[in-house]
Amino acid sequence: MNDEPLVLGIETSCDETGVAVVRGTTLLADVIASSVTEHERFGGVVPEVASRAHLEAMSPTIDRALRDARVTVRDLDAIAVTSGPGLAGALLVGVSAAEGLALAADRPLFGVNHLAAHVAVGRLVDGDLPSPAIALLVSGGHTSLLRVDDVTAEITPLGATLDDAAGEAFDKVARLLGLPFPGGPHIDRIAVEGDAGAIAFPRGLTSARDDEKHRHDFSFSGLKTAVVRWIEACRRDGHEIPVADVAASFQEAVVDVLTSKAVRACREEGIETLILGGGVAANSRLRAMAAERATGLDLRIPPARLCTDNGAMVAALGSALVAQGRPPSNPGVGADSSLPVGTVQMLGLS
Ligand code: KG4
Ligand code: ZN
């Protein structure tokens, strides 16, 4: 008999319907249905389209995850679901499904924070997270530097982006370069053929003055504007846009700032573990530069598939909450589209 908690996790905060089953820190099943192709022609995620796609995908995705894990609903010890932050309608589809399942099977329900789940997913790869740790969370909607004393209860923001999220900057620049949505993976791929030193794009919030006021914060809107201006000037002069060089130089500017601030935070706080999480942590240059710079640190980066949105991260956080003996959420936990990063679990009204 295995007495580690068996937890089903449901993720629907954006365009991915993710359902996974985890036992302790072992991933048993991980199923993702994505509506990304339905959003492609709009150049961004359309909330109503995402909600409808979640509704259609929800039951089959849950069934498939249970089948893959060779368990039934009755075997589960708990159900975890993303309660926020994210798109309100999309979140509600996942939360309603989880509430229904928990009620029908008479199992505890944990409404969890999507951002904390991006950090917790590392448990499935390297085991429980050492405490304290610094986490660099880089996704389409968020970019934060966090101090994690306990992924189930104590996450403290050290800094965040003042404007665009890192993934958002990738997606916007990709659009300028005529690449499909979401642009991050396309920039990553094309940058390999470019020269990262070709164009000296600005590194936001790294001046001596910013180091005082915004030491752990980020800003990517100035970089985005610099890319726009550079492309406009190139067109004006009648030159062909060197897409690979622009992609590589832009990516280098983002990754340079992210890794230098994350590593510096570890060294200043005397913290030895650095965790990367969120969709942008799938970026190959970010992974390589973090490894170069994090000398002497315990650097933890989940495989790319676990960095982008999925149900495994939600199940991983759920199983950590159960293992820590945290109380479940109330049955009608609901969703909060702007749940702050420090609130790991939503308890809901009793
Ligand atoms: O965490 P995630 O899947 O969804 C949110 O919670 O936002 O992150 C999605 C973001 C998108 O902006 C996407 O372009 C970016 O992650 N992304 C990447 C890569 N893969 C995904 N950015 C850069 N390089 C990649 N390889
Ligand atoms: Zn995410």
Side-chain angles (χ1 to χ4, degrees):
M1 262 313 277
N2 188 333
D3 56 7
E4 289 184 299
L6 183 71
V7 178
L8 178 107
I10 300 178
E11 153 64 33
T12 63
S13 69
C14 193
D15 58 342
E16 245 84 61
T17 314
V19 182
V21 180
V22 160
R23 186 182 295 280
T25 55
T26 307
L27 183 59
L28 301 182
D30 182 19
V31 185
I32 295 173
S34 176
S35 61
V36 67
T37 50
E38 294 175 52
H39 307 287
E40 225 169 356
R41 68 195 164 101
F42 302 105
V45 175
V46 184
E48 291 80 4
V49 175
S51 304
R52 171 161 284 276
H54 285 309
L55 259 181
E56 283 168 10
M58 187 51 66
S59 280
T61 311
I62 293 174
D63 288 347
R64 168 86 194 282
L66 290 170
R67 223 176 325 122
D68 285 3
R70 297 170 187 274
V71 298
T72 68
V73 177
R74 270 176 297 281
D75 299 324
L76 299 172
D77 293 303
I79 291 147
V81 63
T82 301
S83 269
L87 302 170
L91 286 168
L92 270 181
V93 178
V95 168
S96 307
E99 286 175 356
L101 209 58
L103 197 67
D106 194 21
R107 291 293 182 270
L109 173 68
F110 291 83
V112 307
N113 187 309
H114 179 83
L115 307 173
H118 269 306
V119 178
V121 75
R123 300 180 71 234
L124 305 178
V125 186
D126 302 301
D128 271 317
L129 310 177
S131 163
I134 295 285
L136 172 66
L137 179 84
V138 274
S139 71
H142 295 83
T143 297
S144 305
L145 212 45
L146 310 167
R147 181 188 162 106
V148 183
D149 285 284
D150 177 349
V151 77
T152 67
E154 215 183 330
I155 299 184
T156 317
L158 300 175
T161 181
L162 304 184
D163 38 63
D164 292 350
E168 198 179 348
F170 267 94
D171 296 340
K172 286 177 177 169
V173 167
R175 198 169 180 183
L176 286 170
L177 294 174
L179 301 170
F181 174 84
H186 295 282
I187 295 215
D188 193 349
R189 180 174 46 79
I190 284 174
V192 176
E193 292 150 31
D195 174 5
I199 310 154
F201 284 131
R203 270 66 171 158
L205 295 187
T206 54
S207 71
R209 221 178 83 224
D210 292 326
D211 261 349
E212 267 175 46
K213 260 186 88 184
H214 292 291
R215 194 160 191 76
H216 302 303
D217 292 327
F218 304 95
S219 167
F220 298 109
S221 74
L223 169 61
K224 182 190 62 196
T225 308
V227 177
V228 172
R229 295 237 171 87
W230 197 91
I231 290 175
E232 278 170 2
C234 196
R235 284 212 181 100
R236 217 172 27 239
D237 296 343
H239 298 309
E240 198 179 314
I241 294 158
V243 174
D245 284 350
V246 176
S249 302
F250 158 76
Q251 176 177 268
E252 197 73 4
V254 175
V255 167
D256 182 17
V257 179
L258 290 175
T259 53
S260 59
K261 291 207 175 199
V263 169
R264 183 177 65 185
C266 288
R267 305 223 194 273
E268 286 180 357
E269 302 263 323
I271 293 177
E272 284 169 12
T273 306
L274 174 60
I275 304 162
L276 264 52
V280 181
N283 182 267
S284 59
R285 185 65 186 130
L286 175 58
R287 301 168 80 92
M289 203 188 278
E292 272 166 35
R293 292 182 170 177
T295 45
L297 299 176
D298 169 16
L299 175 66
R300 300 183 170 209
I301 318 178
R305 180 185 155 83
L306 293 180
C307 290
T308 46
D309 291 350
N310 59 73
M313 60 196 238
V314 180
L317 179 52
S319 105
L321 287 160
V322 175
Q324 282 294 313
R326 303 275 171 216
S329 306
N330 289 305
V333 61
D336 178 351
S337 61
S338 52
L339 190 64
V341 65
T343 308
V344 174
Q345 184 191 352
M346 234 174 97
L347 290 173
L349 301 173
S350 50

